[in-house]
Amino acid sequence: MKDVQFGELPFLKYDNWVQTCVYSPDGTSFSVAPYDHNYINVYPTSNWERTWKLCGHTDGISSVVYSPNGDRIASGSWDSTVRVWDISTGDCLFIFIGHTSGIYIVAYSPQGNVVASMSGDGTIRLWDLESGYCRSIISGCDNINDMAFSPKGNTIALGSDDCRVRLWDVASKECRIILIGHTGSWVCSVAYSPQGDQIVTGGTDKEVRLWDVETGECRQTMRGHTVEVRMVLYSPKGDCIASASYDNTVRLWNVGSGSSRKISGHHSGGVMSLKYSPKRNQVASCSQDSTIRLWDALTGAHCLALTGHSECVNQILYSPQEDQLASCSNDRTVRLWDVESGACLHILTGHNHVINDVVFSPQGDQIASASLDKTVRLWNVSTGECQHILIGHRDSTRIVIYSAQGNQVASSSADGSVKLWDVKTGACQNTLAGHSGDIERIVYSPNGNQIASASFDQTLRLWDVEAGMCTHIFIGHQDYVTRVVYSPRGHQVASASRYGKTVRIWDIESGECRHTLVGHRKYIDAIAYSPRGDLIASWCDAGEARLWDVATGECIWNLNHDGWTPSAGHILSDPFVWMSSDVESFMTGDGVGSVGRWDVIKEGDQHRVHMRWRSTNGQLTLEGACIQEVKGLNDLNKRLLRQRGATGEPSDPLRDTSTKVMTMASVVSKLKSSSSNTEALNPSPISPDLLHEPLSTTNRKSGGYREI
């Protein structure tokens, strides 16, 4: 297993929160201060074996920082002292005493000869690392949230609770300039540009501001975060700013233009819809987190995040040419995106309520959108112009679909009707009335002659498009009918009742119910025929999926995760989509923001379903897996597998490969099926529980000691 890529490392496990942790500048060392403890653990990143436990503080440690060259650590504590430690020996070199209250922040000057400490006593003290004495005291620093040295070390920037940033001259101890602009909020984070001519700040007003150091002028105000900004950083070249917020996003800002994009590895809200692009072998997902994400369907790699909507994105659809993507949102807009670049081509405004559905015409030159404002709008793709407003429904419109020829649009409404509209004139051609409840889904038959409608009145109806007459009423569901799909050949229709937890397969010619598919324990959110029509998949965003044999009605595979959570009661639009007809694979989305690909493998008369990948921030779980005599594992991998629940002792020398233990292939399969993270996880080293408890020695010179 020496070439197996696990995607993560063992983790550091503590009994309580971690107060602070930090890498050394060169990344070779990592220090952790556990919450409410008075020691620091130091780990080399080469093997994550703890080298030092730095003890000496008499109260919890609030801040830890490496020196610029990485050979020392400075720590601040609620015991009102600052300590400086030698990384190579673990010795405490200095104990700085003078503050009368706990230390909030410690920082090294860029030259490494001064340590600054900020305390609850309202002062900042500058400590000289050559003499060990306090070089100067800056008073009047109450309610400071962050501080940063300028690159030359001659100025300190302080961000405070009064919405202001103060620049203090280190030599004169005078406030040189005050930056005023953040409103009604704290300044949470400050950072100098590498050249020292600019300062960036982030605050609870959700803004990132860029300031000129010499004039104090605010050059740019960058907006986009929806919750307070907790941290800001410059890139090493100074051309980019990163900001982190409690809105679960990191944004990268271009210093010149002020434009931004979000950085995130997965959806932070439930997946509302999935669409597959055969030409690109790509999957698009939209979410309650207001984003759209593009994934490589083969590998699961996250390709692009499309941001711009300010609320939940309800539906997405690729254009027929698959070079564009349309989306609709609770923010009352439709957006048209370039799939290659991720650029927003048009923002279509006009609806005055939530937009439920959006669809391209078969030719790709028009978009139709359906809204809670009771209207359907037709838009020109090239210009973004609204060509027609289709008015006639007495309640919100739920679904809109084009006929195969593209000359007609059908819309369903909560008023219990389906309306057929002429695309050229916008005139209503027919109203299909008969349902006594909301219509949740409509779909054209493959030949375009029929429309099937699923209603809250517990019935499914088939309509003749040309005559505008109801030809069949399918009765049998005991609750709302919420989903309906035609078989690929059009000879069958399948319907699902979300709350009834059943799927029914109906023969169109005879009107008979061929099968009632029973077995779901959770609400059904989506159903779909496989491209060949021999399977039906039914899916619940709360973690249950089933595959059914259409001929026999038998369940051939099921998946049930009781630990998953539904997405705040939403009925997801389409959290399931089959891929192309030549590959029996399907994509799923769930209520916690995950997207995954599953392959259906037929072996004789049996079907096997294998999870190819899944985008999630979960971790490996290997409860019950035996790794006895598995070869090729290094020490880190062994610890990782044990932490995740594996048992047995891996083999170092070569052993008989016929022994009935977990093979390399089965371990890899187990790892993929239990984690299958598509993106690199944050390195998370081994647990201190696995480490040998060391002896301790005392450093009498400084009064501190380290455990080795």
Side-chain angles (χ1 to χ4, degrees), residues 654-694:
L654 291 176
R655 301 285 183 92
D656 182 6
T657 57
S658 65
T659 306
K660 292 185 178 180
V661 298
M662 180 168 279
T663 64
M664 180 173 76
S666 58
V667 170
V668 175
S669 175
K670 182 78 174 180
L671 294 178
K672 289 181 178 178
S673 63
S674 57
S675 173
S676 301
N677 292 322
T678 66
E679 303 185 25
L681 299 176
N682 290 330
S684 33
I686 59 174
S687 167
D689 300 339
L690 300 174
L691 299 170
H692 175 67
E693 187 63 31

Side-chain angles (χ1 to χ4, degrees), residues 21 58 86 93 116 195 225 287 310 318 334 337 390 395 419 457 464 480 483 492 532 544 629 645 690:
C21 59
T58 58
D86 187 296
L93 304 177
Q195 298 77 21
H225 285 295
S287 169
S310 59
Y318 281 97
V334 173
W337 310 86
L390 311 183
D395 207 332
K419 287 185 177 289
D457 66 8
D464 184 285
Y480 298 160
R483 293 292 184 268
Q492 291 178 344
R532 296 189 180 99
E544 185 179 13
E629 299 189 22
L690 300 174

Side-chain angles (χ1 to χ4, degrees), residues 417-651:
S417 72
V418 177
K419 287 185 177 289
L420 306 181
W421 310 86
D422 185 278
V423 168
K424 288 185 177 180
T425 66
C428 180
Q429 297 173 319
N430 229 323
T431 298
L432 312 182
H435 283 295
S436 58
D438 295 8
I439 297 177
E440 183 65 18
R441 277 292 183 274
I442 56 173
V443 60
Y444 275 98
S445 62
N447 61 15
N449 296 331
Q450 283 183 337
I451 286 179
S453 58
S455 171
F456 281 6
D457 66 8
Q458 302 181 14
T459 70
L460 173 72
R461 289 177 180 249
L462 301 186
W463 308 84
D464 184 285
V465 170
E466 185 175 353
M469 301 291 293
C470 178
T471 59
H472 290 86
I473 303 176
F474 297 138
I475 300 174
H477 284 290
Q478 302 301 308
D479 210 312
Y480 298 160
V481 184
T482 53
R483 293 292 184 268
V484 58
V485 290
Y486 275 93
S487 64
R489 289 194 292 140
H491 68 298
Q492 291 178 344
V493 67
S495 58
S497 172
R498 184 178 197 261
Y499 302 106
K501 305 175 186 176
T502 60
V503 177
R504 287 177 176 258
I505 301 175
W506 310 86
D507 184 88
I508 289 179
E509 185 175 348
S510 67
E512 294 180 0
C513 179
R514 297 286 302 276
H515 299 292
T516 300
L517 312 181
V518 180
H520 273 283
R521 292 187 292 155
K522 300 174 183 177
Y523 298 149
I524 299 172
D525 291 308
I527 58 171
Y529 274 92
S530 66
R532 296 189 180 99
D534 57 336
L535 301 175
I536 285 180
S538 51
W539 178 262
C540 169
D541 85 291
E544 185 179 13
R546 288 176 179 264
L547 279 184
W548 310 85
D549 187 294
V550 170
T552 65
E554 294 181 359
C555 179
I556 62 173
W557 172 80
N558 73 85
L559 170 74
N560 199 317
H561 287 295
D562 290 326
W564 293 9
T565 57
S567 54
H570 283 272
I571 300 176
L572 299 193
S573 301
D574 281 301
F576 184 103
V577 62
W578 284 95
M579 295 172 64
S580 58
S581 57
D582 58 336
V583 179
E584 289 281 7
S585 299
F586 57 89
M587 307 293 304
T588 60
D590 65 28
V592 295
S594 296
V595 175
R597 170 177 169 170
W598 306 76
D599 295 335
V600 181
I601 303 166
K602 190 171 184 179
E603 299 172 339
D605 295 333
Q606 303 295 318
H607 289 82
R608 181 168 57 88
V609 179
H610 169 70
M611 182 169 67
R612 174 73 66 89
W613 56 263
R614 180 167 174 253
S615 66
T616 176
N617 273 358
Q619 62 184 26
L620 298 176
T621 54
L622 292 170
E623 292 298 333
C626 176
I627 56 173
Q628 184 73 29
E629 299 189 22
V630 171
K631 296 175 286 297
L633 292 172
N634 61 33
D635 289 339
L636 283 179
N637 291 341
K638 292 176 186 177
R639 290 188 171 98
L640 168 66
L641 297 176
R642 290 191 188 116
Q643 282 187 340
R644 301 303 190 260
T647 61
E649 181 62 32
S651 174

Side-chain angles (χ1 to χ4, degrees), residues 44-59:
T45 56
S46 57
N47 59 14
W48 295 99
E49 297 278 358
R50 186 180 64 186
T51 53
W52 306 116
K53 181 178 179 180
L54 308 179
C55 304
H57 284 293
T58 58
D59 205 340

Side-chain angles (χ1 to χ4, degrees), residues 84 113 116 206 208 242 255 265 270 331 433 494 512 514 516 519 560 563 568 616 694:
V84 178
N113 60 340
K206 312 171 193 176
V208 176
V255 172
D331 65 10
E512 294 180 0
R514 297 286 302 276
T516 300
N560 199 317
T616 176

Side-chain angles (χ1 to χ4, degrees), residues 316-337:
I316 51 175
L317 195 70
Y318 281 97
S319 65
Q321 296 77 23
E322 300 181 20
D323 58 340
Q324 295 179 345
L325 194 74
S327 61
C328 65
S329 168
N330 285 359
D331 65 10
R332 308 180 184 186
T333 69
V334 173
R335 287 179 178 250
L336 189 64
W337 310 86

